[in-house]
Amino acid sequence: MHIKRFEEAQAYEAPNHWGVHGLRLQGFEEGGPTNQWVGYSQFLPGGGAGPDSTPFEKVYVVLEGEMTIEWDGRSEILRAMDSCTIPPGLERRIENRSNHVCKMLVVIPYPPKG
């Protein structure tokens, strides 16, 4: 069992993101998860990420607010408690087009060791 208090979460900067403050809730620490890490992102109005892709899947869970996600010429708005799985290699872009902060959990596998 590994308990980590919110006050202990460390900030991180994600590449190709803007208008966002990220905190690592779990991962990359002794006793923590062995196959993925969990981030908490707070996107200001107009904040977002991409377009880009990763070689691994990830999961987004919107906790509060809304986030527009675009991929393959499609667009959807995720709202509180909506989630999505982004498959490996899928190019996507996200943007908070609302006037409220969007709070999101992100679950990402660790990069391959090499």
Side-chain angles (χ1 to χ4, degrees), residues 2-16:
H2 177 71
I3 295 174
K4 185 173 179 182
R5 305 288 178 200
F6 186 71
E7 293 77 20
E8 299 168 348
Q10 296 293 310
Y12 68 93
E13 287 195 38
N16 203 22

Side-chain angles (χ1 to χ4, degrees), residues 5-107:
R5 305 288 178 200
F6 186 71
E7 293 77 20
E8 299 168 348
Q10 296 293 310
Y12 68 93
E13 287 195 38
N16 203 22
H17 285 56
W18 65 93
V20 62
H21 180 71
L23 294 172
R24 186 169 289 114
L25 300 181
Q26 285 277 338
F28 296 101
E29 71 244 327
E30 184 68 35
T34 59
N35 59 351
Q36 80 275 323
W37 63 278
V38 179
Y40 173 61
S41 299
Q42 299 174 84
F43 288 87
L44 296 175
D52 59 13
S53 65
T54 59
F56 42 80
E57 74 177 13
K58 58 177 86 170
V59 174
Y60 293 156
V61 181
V62 174
L63 301 175
E64 187 177 309
E66 60 184 50
M67 182 63 70
T68 299
I69 184 166
E70 300 171 338
W71 76 103
D72 292 341
R74 297 183 59 192
S75 179
E76 288 284 340
I77 298 173
L78 302 178
R79 294 183 175 86
M81 301 315 295
D82 290 344
S83 61
C84 70
T85 300
I86 300 172
L90 179 70
E91 186 172 287
R92 59 88 184 110
R93 183 180 189 281
I94 61 173
E95 185 176 4
N96 178 3
R97 296 181 180 160
S98 78
N99 288 330
H100 301 279
V101 173
C102 176
K103 299 177 180 180
M104 245 176 35
L105 284 180
V106 182
V107 181

